[in-house]
Each structure stands twice: as C-alpha cells, then as structure tokens.
Amino acid sequence: MSHYTKILLAQRPDHRPVGSHLFEVQSKEIPTAGPGQILIKQTHMSLDPAMIGWMSPDTESYIPPVELGSVMRSSGFGEIVESNHPDFTVGDKVMGMIGWTEYALTNGQGINKVQSDIDPEMALSVFALPGLTATQGLFNVGKPKTGETIVVTGAAGSVGSIVGQLAKAEGLRVIGVVGSDEKADWIVNTLGFDGAINYKSDDLEQQLTELTPDGIDLFFENTGGPIQHAIFNRMNAFGRIIVCGMIADYTSENPALGPNWINIIKKRITIQGFTMPDHFGEVPALLAKLTPYVMQGNVQYRSHVLEGLESAMTGLNLLLTGDNKGKLIVKL
Amino acid sequence: MSHYTKILLAQRPDHRPVGSHLFEVQSKEIPTAGPGQILIKQTHMSLDPAMIGWMSPDTESYIPPVELGSVMRSSGFGEIVESNHPDFTVGDKVMGMIGWTEYALTNGQGINKVQSDIDPEMALSVFALPGLTATQGLFNVGKPKTGETIVVTGAAGSVGSIVGQLAKAEGLRVIGVVGSDEKADWIVNTLGFDGAINYKSDDLEQQLTELTPDGIDLFFENTGGPIQHAIFNRMNAFGRIIVCGMIADYTSENPALGPNWINIIKKRITIQGFTMPDHFGEVPALLAKLTPYVMQGNVQYRSHVLEGLESAMTGLNLLLTGDNKGKLIVKL
C-alpha cells in the first residue's frame, strides 16, 4: 500500500522567519477516487507572497485564512491519475488550488484542464496568479497610457517582472526596484526594463530622480519599504498607485508608516488596493488580455525551483527575504 | 475723488500663524469702467482653506500660486456699479473670483450673475466652493450607498458640514469629527449627524469604535491629524477615502506620516484626492445635483462673519486653528 505526504498548517506565523515549526507533516495512504471524484498527482506547486496572508489570523483579510489543521493552501499543477468524473480523463494536465500535498482527491471544483503540452513552470509562472495579478493590476486598476512612466517595486518578482514587461510592451518608460544587482541586471538586460534601482543602495532618491526625469505616473507597489516614500514624492498630477503587495511588512513587528496625504490632494492621486480573489470571475477576460503578449514573446519569466514537498516550509522565507530568483516553484 | 482698499500678497507663508506681515495694503482711486468692462463693488468675500495653498510657493499644487505683488485670490459676492458690458446691468448681483479688494474692474470673465434675492452669506456658504466641493467629493468620488457609514473630519467646517448633511439625506450613518464640544453639539443637534467626536478628547479610538459599530465605508478627509490613522484602521472592505483637505498639515513643519498601506490591500481600499479647480467645467451639473437638497431644507449652514477687508489677513488663521464657527466670510 502506497503512502503520500501532505502538510497541514499547525500554527499561525508570528514574525519571520516562517518554517517547519508552523506545520505538521503527515504521511497517509493514497486514496481511491469515489463516485464523481478525481485523484490528482501534483507535480509542481506554486509558492506565492499571498500565502503569508492566508496563514495569518487576520480575519479582515481578503480571503479566509487557512484553518489550523487543514492542508496549507496553494495553487499547483498536476496530472489526473484516477477519474470517476465526466470532465476529466486519466492523463489530463490540470491546475488549481491543490494545496501542499502530493495527491489530492476532489470533486473537480476549481480544477481546470490545461493544454497537455504546456510547460508546468510556465503555467505557474505566467498563466496563474502572477500573470493574472499583473494583468488585473496594471490594466484594470492602473490604466496605463503610452509614454507614461511606471515604477514597479519587487520588479524581479513573479508579479512585478510581468507588470514591467507588459508596461514596456504598451510603450511606457519602465523602472524597476529590486533587491540585488543581479536582479537589476536581469530586469534591464533580459526583460528590457528602462532602468533598475537596487533598494539596498545609498542614493535611492538620486537614482530615482535620474531614472524618472518626467516624474512618475504609475506606481505598482509590491513591497513597501523605505523607497515607497521616495516614489510617492515623485508622482505626477493624476498619478495612480496600484497597491498589490507589501511583502516587507507582512511579518514585520513595526510596519513602516506611509507618506503624508497632502500630495494626494495636490497631485490628485488615486491609490487603490486590489487582490486577485475578488476577480476570479474575470479570469477568462484576463487570460484573453494576457495571452497575446505572451504569444508575441513579450513575457519572459524565470523559475526558482525547490525540490520536494517539505522544502515549501522554509522556502516561503525566500519570498520574505527576496532571496528567490524568479517564480518560486516546488517540484514534487 | 474716492478711494478703495485692496490687499496684495507680498510674501509666501512659511509657518503659522499667517498674518499682515505677508500682505501689502494699498489705497487706490476707484477706477471707471472702460469699453467692455464692469466695475464690481464687492460686499462679501469668502475665506477658504484652499487659500493657504494658493499662497504657497509649491508649483506642483493644483492651481498656480498667487503671484507676489498681485491681489490675493478669493471668491466673493458683489454688485455691479458700472457696466459697459452687454451681459451685466448696474444693480446685478454677481459672484466670482473677485479677490481681496473692495472694487474690481474686469471684463466679466469668470463673473456670474446670481438671483437678485439670494442671501450673500448663503451664496458663499452653500452655492460656492464649499457646496460644490462637498457635492463633487461625496457623490462623484465617494459614491455613497444608503446604509453605509461615513466619517467626515472637519465636520463643522464649510465643506464637511455640507458633506455630512448630504450623506444624511442619502440615508448614510454620518459621524463627524470636530475640534470643540460646541461644534459637536451643532453638527448633531442642529445638522442631524448621528454622532460627533471631539478630536481633542483622550479616547478617540474608543469613541470611534462605539459610533461606528459596522465599521467605516467612506472617509471624507478634510483635516489630517492624529485621528486619521484611527479612522483608516476601521475602514471596511472596499472602503473609499476621499482626500479633500489636510488643514492640520498645510503650514506644519513636520507633516505627520500616513498609515501603513497593508490595509489598502487587505481591504481593497481606494484613496482618491481631488480639488475643485479640476471640475469647474462640471459646475452646472454639480449645482443641479446640490440644489434639490438645499430646496428640501437638507442643507443648513452658519457663517462666521468678519468685518472689513483688512480682517482677512489674520482671519485666515481661524481656518488653521479651527476657531471659526461656520463658513468664514468677510463683510466689506
């Protein structure tokens, strides 16, 4: 009788680092699909910054936290290995919120078939949460116009790297903020950003001024942190700020204060927060918007692949420290 | 030969208090209307918080600052005493950006005739900048819905008092933040607000929690100051924040920082700044929206009247300290 591993959330994170003390690893018998059920063998699992929020006790967050004692929530890619469901056949490739488990037994709800020849890493890096979030935030919240200047924080991250490439394809001047010189090099020389700033350097404001000679029209915020105020202070009249992530503050004991609001009036700025779960109904339209950019070669990605389910527990810290290089994926 | 007084801006304000050291008072001969011109005798002049911005050197502000050596900008109410203009007749009552002067000679641009029987204080308190600003901010930016809760700062002020009354007429729960118990009494017992908080009291957060049991959906911000964070922290999902004024910070040496942005994501909040000069083209539509509320008796006001043109120079401080009781008007 074969066994598989799954990981439950046992404790809510207090402060960083997150790690195995928060989870319970269980070994179980591989189940059999009952009537109407499918059994999925997950092959690739996505680790996303939003997961920190899903683990937290904050009931005001955008989707309910993962219940203690439940399989940790995550999106993933897998293959149908048993099916008693009319819509699925053994061998189908699927994506969905499969969770931290090697096998998942479900009724198929929220599980979507994908083209059989798609690369799993590309599927999770572009056509899943990162690409959908980038598309929703940039186009539907930010409403970019050709010739405008956008600054993207977390610009080498899974969402930020796509935001910048989409904006570049739309004819914007695109400046990315990253946490290492290697990432700066990647977004400029591989992805085609117009400039990059390593937020760990000393002369942030000067670099920002030089790279945004016409000011900043759009600010796509993924991180928070000290550069937020500098970017805010260079916003142009009628600027739009898309608040997508604040990874620097998710597990911080003393989240930094934001900028004073006077400039919100003086420059008639709009600041808008959004999260993808509110827009899952718009996924078909978002994919229709995103796909042509990918087909035309405008969206490159890179994956940072961890091996084995249990690597997820400490792997999350890479998102908090920014030490991941590209979309964080766990290969099972 | 008769003379009149006008007041020029001589120096930009640094920090409070503002006062006569910033201005130059001139006595001039009353001019005569040339071809196409009208001569206005101003009877009532409006003092508004926005004027602090107009005096400041900040070129990024929403409208150009008043040039040094020019008549200080303001809106006012007056009567035509000479006319060589086809649209105006001696005796017409008019409103417009007349400035700090007893008499104004103009070609009529930006000067609008009003009903001859309108009370000048009501005209300046309701149908001018305060009412237009309240209408634009509440309806077009805030998009209020019946049953929602709104918190208005500067709630006894010229804009805030109208915002609260319009919101009340729309069926919202309306809580006002003010700077004195007398103002709290006025907005609740005369204007019909559901509750008031004196921001100078010690238990701000507790009062706010008690008065907003269902959280806060709209926040109409006129002041800034320490209660901003407390209000922000009680915002509901999909809350809207209308940033109209930051009077507490206009002349402050150390403007206070704003709240951390994490809740902007968690609660998908929209924060939007606006100023009326961007919407002068929409004035007819705004008046059409506002007028029925006034006609139905939903909009009460009170004026704080100063006597004589020169009282404007120190009168502006009442707006900074909050010591005005009602719409600040200078009677000439």
Side-chain angles (χ1 to χ4, degrees):
Chain A
M1 201 170 289
S2 290
H3 285 71
Y4 76 104
T5 301
K6 63 180 178 181
I7 300 180
L8 317 182
L9 182 65
Q11 193 181 315
R12 305 210 175 277
D14 185 7
H15 299 298
R16 59 181 69 175
V18 297
S20 55
H21 62 293
L22 302 177
F23 300 98
E24 182 190 344
V25 181
Q26 289 188 342
S27 181
K28 295 280 182 180
E29 273 182 31
I30 297 176
T32 299
Q37 290 187 319
I38 52 177
L39 183 66
I40 304 168
K41 181 181 193 305
Q42 185 166 229
T43 59
H44 297 77
M45 199 167 86
S46 176
L47 297 186
D48 295 284
M51 297 169 74
I52 310 292
W54 301 344
M55 292 163 66
S56 87
D58 188 344
T59 54
E60 291 176 328
S61 194
Y62 36 92
I63 59 171
V66 177
E67 283 182 40
L68 294 181
S70 302
V71 170
M72 177 61 201
R73 183 187 298 149
S74 61
S75 63
F77 186 100
E79 185 176 333
I80 304 290
V81 291
E82 276 185 42
S83 176
N84 293 318
H85 191 295
D87 296 343
F88 296 94
T89 308
V90 170
D92 281 350
K93 301 289 172 38
V94 294
M95 284 174 69
M97 299 304 284
I98 300 172
W100 285 17
T101 180
E102 291 171 337
Y103 284 84
L105 192 66
T106 91
N107 63 4
Q109 198 177 4
I111 301 296
N112 299 299
K113 284 196 283 192
V114 296
Q115 284 175 243
S116 61
D117 60 348
I118 196 168
D119 177 75
E121 290 179 19
M122 185 186 199
L124 292 180
S125 301
V126 179
F127 290 110
L129 211 50
L132 294 169
T133 303
T135 305
Q136 170 65 21
L138 178 64
F139 292 110
N140 295 347
V141 183
K143 301 184 172 63
K145 299 186 200 83
T146 301
E148 288 188 325
T149 295
I150 185 171
V151 174
V152 184
T153 56
S158 59
V159 172
S161 61
I162 298 178
V163 168
Q165 292 176 86
L166 294 175
K168 193 70 204 154
E170 285 292 294
L172 280 78
R173 178 169 178 82
V174 181
I175 306 301
V177 179
V178 295
S180 75
D181 292 342
E182 188 277 335
K183 289 178 178 177
D185 178 75
W186 181 61
I187 67 169
V188 171
N189 295 316
T190 302
L191 302 189
F193 281 51
D194 295 294
I197 298 172
N198 181 341
Y199 72 79
K200 292 169 181 164
S201 46
D202 293 327
D203 55 344
L204 287 183
E205 289 188 32
Q206 191 191 326
Q207 287 186 56
L208 189 65
T209 302
E210 286 169 9
L211 288 171
T212 59
D214 299 324
I216 298 167
D217 303 293
L218 281 114
F219 170 15
F220 198 106
E221 172 64 293
N222 287 307
T223 63
I227 202 170
Q228 183 183 77
H229 291 226
I231 299 169
F232 182 81
N233 288 333
R234 278 194 70 72
M235 294 299 294
N236 290 330
F238 303 104
R240 288 87 70 201
I241 300 177
I242 306 121
V243 192
C244 177
M246 290 284 292
I247 191 89
D249 289 328
Y250 285 161
T251 55
S252 166
E253 282 188 68
N254 295 303
L257 290 175
N260 180 280
W261 287 6
I262 283 187
N263 275 345
I264 296 178
I265 307 176
K266 285 190 180 172
K267 301 179 179 176
R268 294 82 100 207
I269 287 171
T270 301
I271 306 177
Q272 193 169 350
F274 82 104
T275 66
M276 263 313 291
D278 292 326
H279 303 282
F280 280 158
E282 297 144 53
V283 164
L286 292 170
L287 287 175
K289 178 83 183 171
L290 172 62
T291 301
Y293 292 95
V294 180
M295 293 299 129
Q296 285 157 34
N298 289 319
V299 181
Q300 299 180 64
Y301 69 96
R302 62 178 181 181
S303 316
H304 183 136
V305 180
L306 307 175
E307 297 283 339
L309 182 63
E310 295 183 33
S311 67
M313 294 184 285
T314 50
L316 282 177
N317 280 312
L318 296 171
L319 298 171
L320 293 172
T321 60
D323 286 329
N324 60 309
K325 289 182 183 161
K327 177 71 191 86
L328 202 54
I329 287 174
V330 175
K331 198 170 170 200
L332 304 185
Chain B
M1 203 171 286
S2 291
H3 284 70
Y4 76 104
T5 303
K6 63 181 179 179
I7 301 180
L8 315 182
L9 182 65
Q11 193 181 317
R12 304 210 176 277
D14 186 5
H15 299 299
R16 60 180 71 176
V18 297
S20 55
H21 63 291
L22 302 177
F23 301 98
E24 183 189 342
V25 181
Q26 289 189 344
S27 180
K28 294 278 180 181
E29 272 181 35
I30 297 175
T32 298
Q37 289 187 319
I38 51 177
L39 182 66
I40 304 169
K41 180 180 194 307
Q42 186 166 227
T43 59
H44 297 78
M45 200 167 87
S46 175
L47 297 186
D48 296 284
M51 296 168 75
I52 310 293
W54 300 344
M55 292 162 66
S56 86
D58 187 345
T59 54
E60 291 175 328
S61 194
Y62 35 92
I63 59 170
V66 177
E67 283 182 41
L68 294 181
S70 303
V71 170
M72 178 60 200
R73 183 187 297 151
S74 61
S75 63
F77 185 100
E79 184 177 334
I80 304 290
V81 291
E82 277 186 41
S83 175
N84 293 317
H85 191 296
D87 296 343
F88 297 92
T89 308
V90 170
D92 281 351
K93 301 289 171 41
V94 295
M95 285 174 68
M97 300 303 283
I98 300 173
W100 286 16
T101 182
E102 292 172 335
Y103 284 84
L105 192 66
T106 90
N107 62 5
Q109 198 176 4
I111 301 295
N112 299 300
K113 284 196 283 192
V114 296
Q115 285 176 244
S116 60
D117 60 347
I118 195 167
D119 178 77
E121 290 180 19
M122 186 187 197
L124 292 179
S125 300
V126 179
F127 290 110
L129 212 50
L132 295 169
T133 304
T135 305
Q136 171 65 19
L138 178 65
F139 292 109
N140 296 347
V141 183
K143 300 184 174 63
K145 299 187 199 82
T146 301
E148 288 188 326
T149 295
I150 185 171
V151 174
V152 184
T153 56
S158 59
V159 172
S161 61
I162 299 178
V163 167
Q165 292 177 86
L166 294 175
K168 193 68 204 155
E170 285 292 293
L172 279 80
R173 179 171 177 81
V174 181
I175 306 301
V177 179
V178 295
S180 75
D181 292 342
E182 188 278 335
K183 288 178 179 177
D185 177 73
W186 181 61
I187 66 171
V188 172
N189 295 317
T190 301
L191 303 189
F193 281 51
D194 296 294
I197 298 172
N198 181 342
Y199 72 80
K200 291 169 181 165
S201 47
D202 292 328
D203 55 344
L204 286 182
E205 289 188 31
Q206 191 190 325
Q207 287 186 55
L208 189 66
T209 302
E210 286 170 8
L211 287 171
T212 59
D214 299 326
I216 298 166
D217 303 292
L218 281 112
F219 170 14
F220 198 107
E221 172 64 293
N222 287 307
T223 63
I227 201 172
Q228 182 183 77
H229 292 226
I231 299 169
F232 182 81
N233 289 333
R234 277 194 70 72
M235 294 298 294
N236 290 329
F238 303 105
R240 289 89 68 203
I241 299 177
I242 306 122
V243 192
C244 177
M246 291 283 290
I247 191 87
D249 290 328
Y250 284 161
T251 55
S252 166
E253 280 187 69
N254 295 301
L257 291 174
N260 181 280
W261 287 5
I262 283 186
N263 275 346
I264 297 178
I265 306 175
K266 285 190 179 170
K267 301 181 180 176
R268 294 82 102 209
I269 287 171
T270 301
I271 305 177
Q272 193 170 349
F274 83 104
T275 67
M276 264 312 294
D278 291 327
H279 303 283
F280 281 159
E282 297 145 53
V283 164
L286 293 170
L287 287 175
K289 178 84 182 171
L290 172 62
T291 302
Y293 292 95
V294 180
M295 294 299 129
Q296 286 157 34
N298 289 318
V299 181
Q300 300 180 62
Y301 69 95
R302 62 178 181 180
S303 316
H304 183 137
V305 179
L306 306 176
E307 297 284 339
L309 181 64
E310 295 183 32
S311 67
M313 294 185 284
T314 50
L316 282 177
N317 280 312
L318 296 171
L319 298 170
L320 293 172
T321 60
D323 286 328
N324 61 309
K325 288 182 184 161
K327 177 72 191 82
L328 203 53
I329 288 175
V330 175
K331 198 170 168 202
L332 305 186

